[in-house]
């Protein structure tokens, strides 16, 4: 059982390039999330999807777009990368229910030069 | 604004020693609090959950406490091991959410290093 799988694990981009980060979960969870984690800061929510076909903005959505392709997959797109988007990006999924935990992937480490 | 503050920011202890990590929150209304462990280069993994009615909960060598009146939680690690070296993140969930509005508030984490 793979859980939450993120690809790629590492990526270097030049300013202005575009890129899509992929996330897939095999736990049949309805909710999926994208976070960024920067040194000295807590995880910050970029976008989330409560179910297939729905997406909502989180705390820091500017510069990003998302697609909930189906129940398994939730992608994050950077249309024109900026150095401020250098970060570690985590995808998570969660089963419905207030006491259910989020299950995280191992992250994509993204550097923008 | 909902906030979660953790202390200390970092901690170094010797293998076999105990330690306690603190979490103070101002999230309201409170639903539950969860501690996650994040190993270097990995995603966070849930250790334990504390609901409003729970004061103490153990998971092996990890014991979490919750004081809902003072809005404080602690994570106590007993007989530390090298594998306990990680970041420990406190996350608080507010009530009033729907399936589409589950928005947890994350602390910045405590970085624990266990030396042999």
């Amino acid at each position: 059982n793979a859980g939450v799988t993120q690809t790629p694990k590492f990526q270097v981009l030049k300013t202005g390039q575009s890129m899509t980060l992929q996330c897939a979960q095999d736990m049949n969870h309805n909710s999926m999330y994208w976070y960024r984690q920067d040194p000295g800061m807590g995880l910050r929510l970029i976008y989330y999807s409560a179910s297939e076909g729905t997406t909502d903005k989180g705390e820091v959505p500017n510069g990003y777009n998302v697609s909930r392709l189906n129940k398994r997959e939730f992608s994050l797109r950077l249309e024109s990368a900026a150095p401020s988007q250098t970060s570690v990006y985590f995808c998570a999924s969660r089963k419905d229910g207030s006491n259910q935990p989020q299950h995280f992937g191992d992250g994509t480490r993204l550097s923008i030069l | 604004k909902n906030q979660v503050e953790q202390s200390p920011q970092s901690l170094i202890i010797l293998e076999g020693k105990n330690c306690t990590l603190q979490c103070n929150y101002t999230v309201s209304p409170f639903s539950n609090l969860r501690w996650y462990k994040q190993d270097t280069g990995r995603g966070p993994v849930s250790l334990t959950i504390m609901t409003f009615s729970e004061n103490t909960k153990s998971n092996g060598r990890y014991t979490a406490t919750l004081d809902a009146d003072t809005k404080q939680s602690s994570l106590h690690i007993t007989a530390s091991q090298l594998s306990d070296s990680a970041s420990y993140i406190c996350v608080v969930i507010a009530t009033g959410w729907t399936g589409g509005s589950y928005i947890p508030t994350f602390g910045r984490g405590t970085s624990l290093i266990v030396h042999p």
Side-chain angles (χ1 to χ4, degrees):
Chain A
N1 196 344
V4 178
T5 302
Q6 292 185 236
T7 55
K9 295 187 185 303
F10 302 93
Q11 185 69 48
V12 179
L13 294 177
K14 295 181 179 179
T15 298
Q17 288 185 316
S18 62
M19 165 141 197
T20 299
L21 280 59
Q22 306 289 350
C23 174
Q25 52 95 7
D26 61 3
M27 296 172 282
N28 203 38
H29 291 168
N30 279 326
S31 299
M32 297 187 73
Y33 308 80
W34 274 106
Y35 292 91
R36 61 178 290 172
Q37 187 176 43
D38 299 297
M41 301 188 71
L43 285 155
R44 292 185 292 168
L45 182 66
I46 304 171
Y47 272 92
Y48 65 98
S49 170
S51 62
E52 183 180 352
T54 68
T55 61
D56 286 285
K57 295 179 180 179
E59 181 186 355
V60 289
N62 291 344
Y64 306 95
N65 286 301
V66 290
S67 295
R68 183 72 183 269
L69 304 172
N70 47 55
K71 193 169 187 177
R72 290 186 65 249
E73 299 172 288
F74 188 37
S75 63
L76 178 71
R77 183 162 178 83
L78 287 69
E79 291 290 352
S80 179
S84 61
Q85 294 177 305
T86 293
S87 188
V88 182
Y89 292 85
F90 287 98
C91 176
S93 70
R94 195 180 66 87
K95 183 179 179 180
D96 291 345
S98 62
N99 289 354
Q100 294 297 321
Q102 290 178 303
H103 296 263
F104 288 85
D106 283 337
T108 293
R109 284 143 188 85
L110 182 61
S111 293
I112 300 164
L113 307 177
Chain B
K1 181 180 177 181
N2 291 334
Q3 286 189 316
V4 175
E5 299 291 337
Q6 292 187 243
S7 62
Q9 183 175 339
S10 62
L11 182 62
I12 301 173
I13 61 173
L14 292 175
E15 186 178 14
K17 299 296 185 182
N18 304 335
C19 67
T20 300
L21 314 181
Q22 300 290 343
C23 174
N24 297 336
Y25 62 91
T26 57
V27 175
S28 181
F30 176 87
S31 174
N32 61 77
L33 181 150
R34 193 176 290 273
W35 285 92
Y36 284 83
K37 179 186 180 187
Q38 184 177 19
D39 291 318
T40 301
R42 306 297 299 274
V45 175
S46 178
L47 286 175
T48 185
I49 180 174
M50 303 295 292
T51 59
F52 188 85
S53 59
E54 295 174 312
N55 298 119
T56 303
K57 182 179 285 185
S58 292
N59 177 7
R61 294 181 296 101
Y62 300 102
T63 299
T65 67
L66 175 66
D67 186 334
D69 291 332
T70 61
K71 299 186 177 181
Q72 296 181 324
S73 176
S74 67
L75 181 68
H76 186 75
I77 303 174
T78 303
S80 61
Q81 300 177 357
L82 299 180
S83 60
D84 292 331
S85 295
S87 179
Y88 292 84
I89 302 171
C90 176
V91 184
V92 184
I93 312 304
T95 57
W97 65 280
T98 65
S101 301
Y102 178 96
I103 306 297
T105 302
F106 286 79
R108 298 183 178 187
T110 291
S111 176
L112 174 65
I113 298 174
V114 180
H115 279 313

